[in-house]
Amino acid sequence: MSQIKFIDFQILGDDRGSLVAIEQGKLIPFEIKRIYYLYHTSEGVSRGFHAHRDLKQVAICVSGKCRMVLDNGTVREDVWLDCPTKGLLIESMVWREMHDFSPDCVLLVIASQPYDESDYIRDYREFLTIQKVESVQ
Ligand code: TYD
């Protein structure tokens, strides 16, 4: 089964333009503890290359586009984020990489926890080892 799960946000648009509102308790499947965004990403730069032990995130490309790779240790998939009304749900224990940022890309991320470096797994082999241990438990 694909790991690519999008949340569709309603467009509250009128003749002045478009608006998306995201509220705690609606559509986002966790309590929102943090929001951050990546922008002005230098040409050719790729980011991410980590998984999180517990953290869940929803990534929304509110401007431009980038390509997200999700890897659960068994299946590696990639998907373009290029739509401000679609949020990609990233579960815990998923390796993620972000590539091919357009110069105007603004990638907004909604997160279930405050920033915590100890939640990161930055070594791919360690990620695979932890995945294996968890899958036999
Ligand atoms: P990092 O998670 O390494 O970026 P990415 O994985 O998207 O390439 O974060 C880059 C730097 O920003 C790092 O020094 C940690 C810091 N940071 C925070 O202080 N708070 C945050 O919420 C995030 C996401 C990063």
Side-chain angles (χ1 to χ4, degrees), residues 58-125:
V58 173
I60 309 157
C61 195
V62 295
S63 169
K65 62 177 184 174
C66 67
R67 185 170 58 86
M68 179 80 77
V69 171
L70 297 184
D71 178 344
N72 62 12
T74 310
V75 179
R76 187 177 167 92
E77 292 172 285
D78 69 347
V79 62
W80 282 97
L81 301 185
D82 56 5
C83 178
T85 64
K86 282 183 176 294
L88 180 68
L89 176 63
I90 309 173
E91 301 282 1
S92 51
M93 287 306 289
V94 173
W95 185 265
R96 86 284 316 270
E97 298 170 9
M98 289 150 279
H99 304 277
D100 303 325
F101 287 85
S102 63
D104 59 344
C105 180
V106 180
L107 184 65
L108 178 79
V109 182
I110 300 170
S112 65
Q113 295 296 333
Y115 178 73
D116 174 9
E117 186 56 39
S118 70
D119 189 63
Y120 280 69
I121 305 165
R122 294 190 183 273
D123 182 87
Y124 187 70
R125 284 176 181 277

Side-chain angles (χ1 to χ4, degrees), residues 34 36 38 47-48 50 98 115 120 122:
R34 175 169 54 118
Y36 64 93
L38 308 176
R47 301 196 61 142
H50 62 253
M98 289 150 279
Y115 178 73
Y120 280 69
R122 294 190 183 273

